[in-house]
């Protein structure tokens, strides 16, 4: 009888084997009666099932039956006890009826079970729950009767169901496997000629049954803790101990038959599996795999597009890698078959291996070629993007108006411009090299087309590459033209700054000449010869100043021309030119005053020397009084002029030299005038010299 048939009855827990034993090592059968009326038929079925579980050896030791009547009526208890006579008379050695406290005392006086022992076949005693330990050890009683033995009815029932299910499935599976294995031993030639079909497979999965058996055995081998108060008592249930060897025996038989079955399946299916897998690999590589590559011919029009194509290609490679892994394993299996195969199989296996190798190597070559092409395209677009950014930077620099502060900054900017242009040249050269390499690869792409016309796709790729290179060339040419214009402009600006700087230097030089004229050109000479020399030196000095002034004027005129060319306002025309004219005007006035004084000094010295050197035998000269007066007048005028400053148009005044220098010159002139007066007195009647008065 299977537990699944009477599962609803077993769940009611009308009776159970707790695993406890009496002092004679007999099993304890417990019948817990309840307040509700107990169905005797269901109880009889439960007892029949429970008594079928123990072995004959256990049954021979007899059962101790505990009838728990504490929650039931006396007539029900009596019926159950009498029923035991018919169900298990030989196996029952003792029946303990657990009575409620002081409830049946008066009602059982007319019926004594001990008097009926011979008729019943077993001894019946009435006992209270607290006195049950007189007959059974506490560790063998469940907690309902004050014992320490733990019993879980649902756990026991689940184990029984699992055990019976495993027993049934494993027995059926063993029969099927034995039939399959025995059939494989008959006529190997016939088995070689026919393939495995679904009818050849077991009805259940052997792996699942084996796993179920191992789990069941593990549960059966677990021991439950039944101790209390620190004591330890391990007592597996008897039916569990009986089930363990049965499960282990079934598992051993299953493993043996399943191993033989696996070997039979391997032998029968190896060749078929190889052929099927080989056909799948070839079909996929020549079908979806090749189609994926046929649809991937573009190279993208930017870095992002090329990277997207690379990512797509990596996905395709990943799918191919799975099939290539299958190919490697399959090739190894075919090689093993070739080493141990029959002569009649060698030719067919080699042809199979060769076909598989050709397809895989051809597909792998396509993948590698495509990966190299996309990498070259990515590098080409990367160089193109860098070059485009360089051209944008150069163009941005050219579009900004130049407003440097000096010539040095212009030179630095011009150097930077030349460096950027050189970098663009190198970038364009690199782009041409990358583009040509990519065009060469695209030209070879047609060899992988498998009859597909890729001229359209190749033309689009070639046009794109050439278009990018031509566009970069045009942009570079435009930038070069703009650089030429900017270079010319910047050189003109350098020249402009140089002219302005030199013009300012000319003004400075002219100012220095004016200062030198006022401070150092103060001597008028001690005689006529020295005065002539000073006059000649002054003319040369004026020539130098004139050259400096003319040079400054030319520079300022050049700045005007450059500013007009640059369409810029000259900074010199409003600042340097007035300075130059002002200094030159001051120099001219000072120079004229210097010339006047030197000429007066020359006339004075010449006449004085003539008068003083004349002999007394020339009365016509001596009597010329007017000549003496004229010399005195020139001397006085020269003395007066030495005390007068040089007055400029802006009202400012400057003196030649220092007062001491002028005093020394004036003193020398006075000495000459005195000599002239003395000469005049010697030659004429005595008269007072003007200088003495």
């Amino acid at each position: 009888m299977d537990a699944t048939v009477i599962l609803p009855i077993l769940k009611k827990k009308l009776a159970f084997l707790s695993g406890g034993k009496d002092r004679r090592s007999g099993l304890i059968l417990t019948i817990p009666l309840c307040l509700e009326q107990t169905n005797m038929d269901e109880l009889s079925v439960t007892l029949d099932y429970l008594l079928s579980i123990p072995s004959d050896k256990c049954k021979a030791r007899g059962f101790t039956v505990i009838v728990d009547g504490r929650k039931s009526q006396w007539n029900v208890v009596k019926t159950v006890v009498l029923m035991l006579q018919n169900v298990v008379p030989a196996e029952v050695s003792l029946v303990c009826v657990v009575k409620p406290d002081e409830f049946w005392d008066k009602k059982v006086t007319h019926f004594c079970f001990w008097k009926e022992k011979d008729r019943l076949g077993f001894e019946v005693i009435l006992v209270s729950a607290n006195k049950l330990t007189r007959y059974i050890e506490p560790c063998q009683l469940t907690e309902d009767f004050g014992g320490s033995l733990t019993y879980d009815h649902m756990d026991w029932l689940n184990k029984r169901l699992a055990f019976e299910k495993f027993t049934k499935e494993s027995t059926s599976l063993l029969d099927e496997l034995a039939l399959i294995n025995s059939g494989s031993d008959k006529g190997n030639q016939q088995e070689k000629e026919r393939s495995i079909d679904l009818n050849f497979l077991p009805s259940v999965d052997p792996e699942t049954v084996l796993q179920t058996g191992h789990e069941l055995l593990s549960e059966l081998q677990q021991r439950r803790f039944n101790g209390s108060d620190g004591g330890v008592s391990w007592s597996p249930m008897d039916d569990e101990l009986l089930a363990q060897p049965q499960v282990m025996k079934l598992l051993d038989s299953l493993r043996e038959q399943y191993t033989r079955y696996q070997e039979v399946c391997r032998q029968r299916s190896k060749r078929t599996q190889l052929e099927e897998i080989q056909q799948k690999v070839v079909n996929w590589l020549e079908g979806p795999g090749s189609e994926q590559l046929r649809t991937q011919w573009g190279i993208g029009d930017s870095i992002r597009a090329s990277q997207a194509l690379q990512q797509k290609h990596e996905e395709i490679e990943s799918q191919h890698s799975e099939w290539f892994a299958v190919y490697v394993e399959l090739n190894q299996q075919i090689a093993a078959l070739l080493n141990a195969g029959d002569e009649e199989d060698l030719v067919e296996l080699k042809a199979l291996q060769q076909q598989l190798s050709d397809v895989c190597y051809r597909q792998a070559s396509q993948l590698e070629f495509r990966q190299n092409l996309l990498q070259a395209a990515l590098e080409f677009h990367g160089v193109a993007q860098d070059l485009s950014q360089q051209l944008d930077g150069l163009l941005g620099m050219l579009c900004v108006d130049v407003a440097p502060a000096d010539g040095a900054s212009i030179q630095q900017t011009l150097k930077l411009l030349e460096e950027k242009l050189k970098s663009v040249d190198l970038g364009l050269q690199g782009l041409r090299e990358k583009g040509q390499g990519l065009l060469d690869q695209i030209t070879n792409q047609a060899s992988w087309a498998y009859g597909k016309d890729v001229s359209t796709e190749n033309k689009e790729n070639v046009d794109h590459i050439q278009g990018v290179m031509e566009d970069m060339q045009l942009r570079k040419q435009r930038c070069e033209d703009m650089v030429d214009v900017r270079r010319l402009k910047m050189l003109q600006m350098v020249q402009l700054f140089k002219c302005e700087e030199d013009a300012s230097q000319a003004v400075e030089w002219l100012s220095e000449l004016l200062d030198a004229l006022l401070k150092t050109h103060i001597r008028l000479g001690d005689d006529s010869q020295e005065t002539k020399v000073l006059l000649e030196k002054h003319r040369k000095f004026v020539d130098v100043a004139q050259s400096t002034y003319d040079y400054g004027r030319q520079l300022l005129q050049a700045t005007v021309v450059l500013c007009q060319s640059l369409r810029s306002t000259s900074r010199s025309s409003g600042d340097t030119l007035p300075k130059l004219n002002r200094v030159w005007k001051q120099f001219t006035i000072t120079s004229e005053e210097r010339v006047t004084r030197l000429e007066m000094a020359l006339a004075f010295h010449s006449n004085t020397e003539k008068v003083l050197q004349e002999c007394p035998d020339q009365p016509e000269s001596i009597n010329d009084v007017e000549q003496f007066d004229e010399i005195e007048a020139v001397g006085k005028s020269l003395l007066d002029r030495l005390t007068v400053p040089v007055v400029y148009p802006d009202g400012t005044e400057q003196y030649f030299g220092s007062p001491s220098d002028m005093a020394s010159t004036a003193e020398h002139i006075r000495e000459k005038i005195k000599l002239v007066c003395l000469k005049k007195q010697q030659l004429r009647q005595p008269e007072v010299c003007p200088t003495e008065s």
Side-chain angles (χ1 to χ4, degrees), residues 21 24-27 53-63 91 238-239 242:
K21 297 180 181 180
R24 296 171 300 176
S25 298
L27 295 177
I53 295 175
S55 63
D56 294 337
K57 185 177 180 180
C58 290
K59 292 179 182 179
R61 289 195 292 267
F63 289 90
E91 287 82 359
D238 194 65
D239 60 330
L242 294 174

Side-chain angles (χ1 to χ4, degrees), residues 208-226:
T208 303
V209 177
L210 284 171
Q211 182 179 358
T212 302
H214 285 296
E215 293 176 354
L216 176 61
L217 182 61
S218 177
E219 291 183 3
L220 292 176
Q221 289 175 342
Q222 290 179 356
R223 296 182 176 182
R224 297 180 300 159
F225 177 69
N226 297 315

Side-chain angles (χ1 to χ4, degrees), residues 522-525 530-532 534-536 538-539 592-605 638:
I522 56 177
R523 285 182 55 78
L524 297 178
E530 184 180 0
T531 303
K532 288 179 181 179
L534 291 174
L535 189 60
E536 184 63 27
H538 179 72
R539 290 192 181 96
E592 291 175 352
E593 178 63 25
R594 172 66 173 167
V595 170
T596 300
R597 292 186 181 188
L598 286 173
E599 289 177 347
M600 291 177 66
L602 178 60
F604 174 75
H605 287 307
L638 184 57

Side-chain angles (χ1 to χ4, degrees), residues 201-327:
L201 300 177
S203 59
V204 293
D205 181 20
E207 293 286 351
T208 303
V209 177
L210 284 171
Q211 182 179 358
T212 302
H214 285 296
E215 293 176 354
L216 176 61
L217 182 61
S218 177
E219 291 183 3
L220 292 176
Q221 289 175 342
Q222 290 179 356
R223 296 182 176 182
R224 297 180 300 159
F225 177 69
N226 297 315
S228 61
D229 299 331
V232 179
S233 176
W234 299 92
S235 60
M237 293 180 63
D238 194 65
D239 60 330
E240 295 178 3
L241 293 175
L242 294 174
Q244 290 179 26
Q246 298 179 39
V247 173
M248 288 189 290
K249 183 177 180 180
L250 287 172
L251 285 174
D252 292 340
S253 300
L254 273 176
R255 279 192 289 268
E256 180 182 357
Q257 291 294 336
Y258 183 49
T259 301
R260 290 183 58 194
Y261 166 74
Q262 287 178 317
E263 183 62 28
V264 169
C265 291
R266 276 195 295 269
Q267 293 176 355
R268 292 181 177 181
S269 64
K270 183 177 294 183
R271 179 63 178 275
T272 303
Q273 288 177 348
L274 289 177
E275 293 177 353
E276 290 179 353
I277 295 174
Q278 184 267 349
Q279 195 61 39
K280 288 181 180 179
V281 173
V282 172
N283 290 343
W284 191 89
L285 292 178
E286 292 184 343
S290 296
E291 186 62 28
Q292 286 179 346
L293 290 177
R294 289 191 186 100
T295 57
Q296 298 293 316
W297 292 98
I299 60 173
D301 57 359
S302 63
I303 292 181
R304 181 174 297 179
S306 295
Q307 289 175 340
L309 289 174
Q310 271 193 334
Q311 184 176 0
K312 177 64 177 178
H313 183 73
E314 290 174 358
E315 295 175 359
I316 295 175
E317 281 186 331
S318 178
Q319 297 180 19
H320 279 75
S321 298
E322 297 176 0
W323 289 99
F324 288 156
V326 175
Y327 155 71

Side-chain angles (χ1 to χ4, degrees), residues 604-621:
F604 174 75
H605 287 307
S606 297
N607 293 328
T608 302
E609 292 172 356
K610 183 178 179 181
V611 170
L612 294 177
Q613 293 176 359
E614 286 182 349
C615 297
D617 55 355
Q618 296 177 342
E620 66 278 1
S621 299

Side-chain angles (χ1 to χ4, degrees), residues 415-547:
K415 181 181 178 181
L416 179 60
L417 198 63
E418 296 291 348
E419 291 176 352
K420 284 185 174 292
L421 186 60
K422 183 178 180 180
S423 178
V424 167
D425 287 335
L426 294 176
L428 184 59
Q429 181 181 353
L431 181 67
R432 291 196 186 102
E433 293 175 357
K434 294 292 184 182
Q436 187 58 49
L438 185 56
L439 288 173
D440 293 340
Q441 285 186 306
I442 291 176
T443 303
N444 298 329
Q445 190 174 13
S447 60
W448 304 104
Y450 287 107
K452 175 180 172 62
D453 184 14
V454 295
S455 58
T456 303
E457 290 84 350
N458 279 341
K459 186 176 184 304
E460 292 178 357
N461 293 334
V462 170
D463 291 345
H464 169 68
I465 296 170
Q466 293 177 345
V468 170
M469 291 192 293
E470 291 174 359
D471 178 62
M472 293 299 172
Q473 177 63 41
L474 291 175
R475 290 178 61 186
K476 188 247 183 183
Q477 187 61 47
R478 288 195 296 269
C479 286
E480 281 184 339
D481 296 340
M482 295 179 67
V483 167
D484 292 339
V485 175
R486 177 56 61 88
R487 184 187 296 111
L488 177 60
K489 181 178 180 179
M490 295 179 75
L491 291 176
Q492 288 179 339
M493 295 184 71
V494 171
Q495 189 176 3
L496 173 62
F497 276 109
K498 182 62 176 174
C499 290
E500 291 179 347
E501 182 180 351
D502 291 348
S504 298
Q505 185 65 46
V507 173
E508 184 177 349
W509 288 343
L510 199 58
S511 298
E512 291 176 355
L513 291 175
L514 174 60
D515 188 61
L517 178 61
L518 289 170
K519 292 182 179 180
T520 61
H521 293 216
I522 56 177
R523 285 182 55 78
L524 297 178
D526 294 337
D527 52 33
S528 61
Q529 187 63 33
E530 184 180 0
T531 303
K532 288 179 181 179
V533 173
L534 291 174
L535 189 60
E536 184 63 27
K537 288 183 178 180
H538 179 72
R539 290 192 181 96
K540 293 180 180 180
F541 185 76
V542 171
D543 291 340
V544 172
Q546 181 68 51
S547 299

